[in-house]
Amino acid sequence: MKVADMHCDTIAEIYYAQSRGEDVGIRRNQFHVDLKKMAKGDYGIQNFALFTSIAREERPFEYTMNLLDVFYQEMEKNQDLIGVVRSYQDIEENWKKGRMSALLTIEEGAVCQGNLSFLRDFYRLGVRMMTLLWNHPNELGYPSCRDTRGAGSIGIPDTERGLTETGIAFLEEMERLGMIIDISHLNDAGVWDVFKYTKKPFVASHSNARALTDGCLRNLTDDMIRQMGERGCVLGINYYPPFLKVPEAGKEEEKMKSRVSDMVRHMKHIRQTGGIGCIGLGSDFDGIGGDLEMKSCADLPLLEAEMRRQGFSESEIEAVFHGNVLRVYREVLL
């Protein structure tokens, strides 16, 4: 079953390893994602995020440009296996040639420094999706939790501070350009602003259902999921253990176990709430830790088998694995 994964952090991992002098690249590596594993997992398209922490990097724009350079060097070395996506037609052409596709994304809108010209420049350089922020406030808005010590995943929902005027301007420009808006990591008030100020479908590239993980604010509420379904949006199931389940009392060792059965449990809830059409995949591979049942992107057949075992039809599995995501790409990418 062809896979469309909306989020991984592999480029940053390669950058760190190369900075340490290691001979590592995208073709084969020790990380969750490489081209050989992707081929084994029957990948059609992988989104590669340029992840930047504004709390750690003194020059986030320059750092992101370094990641961008790594991405293109790796793509150029491996043109026989994968091609960069700038339009939906590129996906179709790559598949006709027997190649996988790579869609470039940014995880942290602050790298644009509130400057629309930087946003347009990133678009010209091939970026086709962007989260408005990560786990820290920036010029565009606020993270999913006021208490960033919890990595944006626990605490009290922020329902008061919406997007800034600059954030709203970014939404409008991203829609005009044909760049996909990604609401993962955004606070509740900001999410509702995205609904208010946009017309096209958007995504939550790596977020699950909050109703099944009490207190995990990185996941979406049922109201959000319902309206995403009505708008033709898609959320990608995140494989990170704390986003999948809350351990029962006395079973804290379960906290960092990621199991395909829990992913399917979220899918069932989302299907009941927003419909099968709003479910996709957003692994967060190479950005997550824990005891992962799917230890790499080569293991996606495990998830396919579990979905089938729990009663998902072939057409539903196809929609989740790639159909829904490609529908959004077809509609938004110019």
Side-chain angles (χ1 to χ4, degrees):
M1 184 69 68
K2 287 294 181 186
V3 175
D5 182 348
M6 288 195 288
H7 190 83
C8 77
D9 291 308
T10 311
I11 296 302
E13 289 300 305
I14 292 173
Y15 173 77
Y16 297 145
Q18 291 179 351
S19 298
R20 295 190 296 267
E22 298 177 24
D23 183 14
V24 63
I26 196 66
R27 197 175 192 93
R28 189 186 299 277
N29 58 52
Q30 70 272 33
F31 307 131
H32 294 143
V33 176
D34 65 29
L35 298 183
K36 296 297 185 180
K37 298 186 191 85
M38 286 170 60
K40 186 175 180 181
D42 196 20
Y43 270 59
I45 181 168
Q46 174 67 62
N47 288 12
F48 289 96
L50 307 180
F51 164 65
T52 301
S53 169
I54 58 175
R56 184 179 65 227
E57 303 300 331
E58 293 184 1
R59 296 182 175 90
F61 176 82
E62 293 179 24
Y63 176 80
T64 303
M65 293 299 289
N66 288 333
L67 296 181
L68 184 70
D69 182 59
V70 169
F71 172 81
Y72 275 113
Q73 287 195 69
E74 293 301 320
M75 292 299 110
E76 289 169 4
K77 293 175 186 175
N78 296 283
Q79 295 179 50
D80 57 324
L81 297 180
I82 194 164
V84 178
V85 168
R86 292 172 180 261
S87 68
Y88 186 79
Q89 288 69 33
D90 290 336
I91 300 173
E92 295 180 330
E93 287 300 315
N94 285 331
W95 285 16
K96 288 177 183 178
K97 295 176 181 178
R99 298 195 304 179
M100 295 175 286
S101 291
L103 190 142
L104 184 60
T105 81
I106 284 177
E107 186 175 27
E108 177 52 89
V111 301
C112 296
Q113 300 176 17
N115 191 330
L116 287 171
S117 66
F118 285 2
L119 175 70
R120 288 187 285 268
D121 285 338
F122 277 123
Y123 180 84
R124 294 177 184 116
L125 291 168
V127 174
R128 291 298 180 266
M129 180 185 294
M130 186 175 77
T131 66
L132 299 179
L133 42 73
W134 186 55
N135 287 339
H136 309 285
N138 66 18
E139 300 89 347
L140 310 181
Y142 303 90
S144 56
C145 182
R146 291 178 184 270
D147 181 5
T148 56
R149 292 172 300 173
S153 62
I154 59 173
I156 302 171
D158 185 352
T159 59
E160 299 174 2
R161 300 179 297 177
L163 296 178
T164 66
E165 290 185 8
T166 302
I168 295 168
F170 266 63
L171 295 182
E172 294 171 349
E173 187 65 2
M174 289 175 73
E175 284 205 322
R176 188 191 71 81
L177 289 169
M179 185 185 290
I180 300 164
I181 297 161
D182 185 354
I183 64 171
S184 285
H185 290 282
L186 187 60
N187 69 342
D188 287 17
V191 169
W192 291 118
D193 276 347
V194 174
F195 277 107
K196 179 179 179 181
Y197 292 106
T198 61
K199 298 177 181 177
K200 297 179 182 179
F202 53 85
V203 304
S205 66
H206 52 304
S207 298
N208 298 332
R210 194 181 302 177
L212 301 186
T213 52
D214 183 41
C216 181
L217 303 183
R218 270 282 287 104
N219 290 341
L220 304 183
T221 68
D222 283 358
D223 284 343
M224 294 171 185
I225 293 170
R226 191 172 298 109
Q227 292 203 33
M228 287 186 76
E230 293 173 357
R231 282 277 301 269
C233 305
V234 175
L235 65 155
I237 297 297
N238 189 317
Y239 307 168
Y240 185 45
F243 295 178
L244 287 170
K245 67 186 297 183
V246 177
E248 298 177 16
K251 296 184 178 181
E252 292 302 316
E253 72 280 0
E254 298 290 321
K255 182 177 181 180
M256 291 306 294
K257 291 184 177 180
S258 171
R259 298 293 179 261
V260 293
S261 58
D262 289 316
M263 298 172 197
V264 177
R265 186 168 62 97
H266 278 263
M267 290 179 188
K268 284 184 170 181
H269 179 85
I270 296 166
R271 178 179 62 179
Q272 182 178 3
T273 306
I276 192 68
C278 68
I279 311 173
L281 301 177
S283 66
D284 211 358
F285 272 148
D286 291 318
I288 59 174
D291 177 3
L292 309 181
E293 185 174 7
M294 288 196 295
K295 299 186 182 304
S296 78
C297 62
D299 296 328
L300 264 293
L302 294 175
L303 180 58
E304 180 183 351
E306 182 65 16
M307 291 179 69
R308 190 172 291 112
R309 189 187 73 81
Q310 292 203 36
F312 281 77
S313 68
E314 290 301 309
S315 63
E316 288 178 321
I317 297 172
E318 182 178 356
V320 171
F321 265 57
H322 64 263
N324 295 332
V325 170
L326 293 183
R327 169 180 50 78
V328 172
Y329 291 1
R330 188 183 302 112
E331 184 167 347
V332 178
L333 298 179
L334 301 178

